[in-house]
Amino acid sequence: MKPNARERLIEGTRQLLWERGYVGTSPTAILARSGVGQGSMYHHFDGKPDLVLAAEQRSAELMQQQIAEAFAAEGTALERITRYLGRERDVLRGCSVGRLTADPEVMADDTLRAPIRETFEVLHEHLRRTIAEGVAAGEFAGDLDIDETASAVAAVIQGAYALARAAQAIEPFDRAIRGVLSLLRASAPHAN
């Protein structure tokens, strides 16, 4: 069953935002990518900002679902963090949500920025809760600052995307992920 025009517009815009950002996502490009007519765009959305918000919300929902699934699975704290960090990604495209933080038009608009902020809050909370469980279980050092560590892990992911895109190679991403996992393992009480 072919997705309806509204869904095609959202997905086409989501992909264009990921590739080109807000300015590069013109109504003409949206229509071409979505395969719908101009009337459909304005029938379903008030304009580009409304459609962009729907596309951002879709990207945010997808990323939040991936986060929840990775952290909901069984395993130790380190295993769950490793599962999230090691999940399959399109590394050279970057993070579909994180890339929007470099877009001045998105960052200048509180409404367009909201799905991005919320997604990173969800990631931080999952990391924070998982790290806290690891500390409580003796898997990580008892004096590990949970909030700072959660922020550092999230920052490594986004920074790893930037390193990979700059090199146009996946290895810098993988190396950064291995590095943060090594640091987490090294914080274990028995490693001291």
Side-chain angles (χ1 to χ4, degrees):
M1 179 178 189
K2 189 174 182 179
N4 65 32
R6 184 177 195 286
E7 289 302 310
R8 292 196 327 255
L9 284 163
I10 290 171
E11 184 57 25
T13 303
R14 192 176 86 76
Q15 294 297 324
L16 286 167
L17 285 170
W18 196 357
E19 295 165 12
R20 304 178 183 184
Y22 187 90
V23 171
T25 302
S26 68
T28 302
I30 292 168
L31 295 175
R33 177 67 61 97
S34 304
V36 301
Q38 185 173 2
S40 288
M41 183 171 164
Y42 294 102
H43 171 74
H44 293 289
F45 300 97
D46 291 337
K48 179 181 170 182
D50 188 37
L51 176 52
V52 165
L53 179 60
E56 281 186 22
Q57 289 168 332
R58 177 67 51 81
S59 288
E61 288 168 10
L62 291 170
M63 186 170 164
Q64 290 175 30
Q65 180 181 1
Q66 292 167 342
I67 292 166
E69 288 171 0
F71 286 99
E74 295 294 319
T76 66
L78 185 61
E79 287 169 346
R80 287 179 283 148
I81 292 168
T82 300
R83 185 178 307 108
Y84 177 71
L85 295 177
R87 74 174 177 76
E88 190 170 328
R89 302 165 192 267
D90 192 347
V91 171
L92 295 182
R93 279 184 86 187
C95 175
S96 64
V97 174
R99 282 193 61 182
L100 295 171
T101 63
D103 197 311
E105 287 79 10
V106 172
M107 291 295 97
D109 185 311
D110 290 340
T111 302
L112 293 178
R113 192 174 59 250
I116 301 161
R117 185 191 70 249
E118 291 164 8
T119 299
F120 284 119
E121 288 171 356
V122 166
L123 175 59
H124 182 83
E125 181 54 29
H126 276 75
L127 285 165
R128 192 199 63 69
R129 187 172 43 243
T130 304
I131 293 164
E133 291 169 8
V135 168
E139 194 176 344
F140 304 132
D143 62 350
L144 192 68
D145 186 297
I146 293 165
D147 281 320
E148 288 178 1
T149 304
S151 292
V153 172
V156 166
I157 298 167
Q158 293 304 311
Y161 278 123
L163 294 172
R165 287 177 55 79
Q168 282 299 288
I170 295 171
E171 177 53 27
F173 181 93
D174 292 342
R175 190 171 50 242
I177 297 305
R178 288 191 307 269
V180 76
L181 290 171
S182 292
L183 291 171
L184 285 171
R185 278 192 295 275
S187 83
H190 66 274
N192 293 330

PDB file of all heavy atoms in Angstrom, residues 54 63 108 147 161 163:
ATOM      1  N   ALA A  54       6.540  18.886  11.276  1.00  0.00           N
ATOM      2  CA  ALA A  54       6.029  17.507  11.225  1.00  0.00           C
ATOM      3  C   ALA A  54       7.151  16.526  10.887  1.00  0.00           C
ATOM      4  O   ALA A  54       7.230  15.441  11.471  1.00  0.00           O
ATOM      5  CB  ALA A  54       4.899  17.401  10.199  1.00  0.00           C
ATOM      6  N   MET A  63      13.972   8.408  16.460  1.00  0.00           N
ATOM      7  CA  MET A  63      15.181   8.321  17.273  1.00  0.00           C
ATOM      8  C   MET A  63      14.833   7.959  18.723  1.00  0.00           C
ATOM      9  O   MET A  63      15.514   7.129  19.338  1.00  0.00           O
ATOM     10  CB  MET A  63      15.960   9.627  17.230  1.00  0.00           C
ATOM     11  CG  MET A  63      17.300   9.543  17.945  1.00  0.00           C
ATOM     12  SD  MET A  63      18.297  11.007  17.603  1.00  0.00           S
ATOM     13  CE  MET A  63      19.505  10.869  18.905  1.00  0.00           C
ATOM     14  N   ALA A 108      16.973  29.081  15.632  1.00  0.00           N
ATOM     15  CA  ALA A 108      16.413  30.395  15.965  1.00  0.00           C
ATOM     16  C   ALA A 108      14.921  30.333  16.274  1.00  0.00           C
ATOM     17  O   ALA A 108      14.346  31.302  16.764  1.00  0.00           O
ATOM     18  CB  ALA A 108      16.656  31.367  14.806  1.00  0.00           C
ATOM     19  N   ASP A 147      25.170  12.527  35.816  1.00  0.00           N
ATOM     20  CA  ASP A 147      24.716  13.489  34.806  1.00  0.00           C
ATOM     21  C   ASP A 147      25.836  13.900  33.856  1.00  0.00           C
ATOM     22  O   ASP A 147      25.631  13.976  32.644  1.00  0.00           O
ATOM     23  CB  ASP A 147      24.107  14.736  35.465  1.00  0.00           C
ATOM     24  CG  ASP A 147      22.695  14.486  35.942  1.00  0.00           C
ATOM     25  OD1 ASP A 147      21.935  13.814  35.224  1.00  0.00           O
ATOM     26  OD2 ASP A 147      22.351  14.959  37.034  1.00  0.00           O
ATOM     27  N   TYR A 161      29.983  11.515  14.940  1.00  0.00           N
ATOM     28  CA  TYR A 161      29.395  11.754  13.612  1.00  0.00           C
ATOM     29  C   TYR A 161      30.184  12.833  12.883  1.00  0.00           C
ATOM     30  O   TYR A 161      30.489  12.698  11.693  1.00  0.00           O
ATOM     31  CB  TYR A 161      27.940  12.219  13.729  1.00  0.00           C
ATOM     32  CG  TYR A 161      26.918  11.138  13.924  1.00  0.00           C
ATOM     33  CD1 TYR A 161      26.069  11.153  15.023  1.00  0.00           C
ATOM     34  CD2 TYR A 161      26.752  10.109  12.992  1.00  0.00           C
ATOM     35  CE1 TYR A 161      25.098  10.185  15.198  1.00  0.00           C
ATOM     36  CE2 TYR A 161      25.780   9.134  13.167  1.00  0.00           C
ATOM     37  CZ  TYR A 161      24.955   9.180  14.270  1.00  0.00           C
ATOM     38  OH  TYR A 161      23.985   8.228  14.444  1.00  0.00           O
ATOM     39  N   LEU A 163      33.320  13.767  13.296  1.00  0.00           N
ATOM     40  CA  LEU A 163      34.636  13.260  12.902  1.00  0.00           C
ATOM     41  C   LEU A 163      34.540  12.376  11.656  1.00  0.00           C
ATOM     42  O   LEU A 163      35.367  12.483  10.741  1.00  0.00           O
ATOM     43  CB  LEU A 163      35.259  12.465  14.052  1.00  0.00           C
ATOM     44  CG  LEU A 163      35.628  13.251  15.302  1.00  0.00           C
ATOM     45  CD1 LEU A 163      36.049  12.297  16.424  1.00  0.00           C
ATOM     46  CD2 LEU A 163      36.721  14.261  15.003  1.00  0.00           C
TER      47      LEU A 163
END
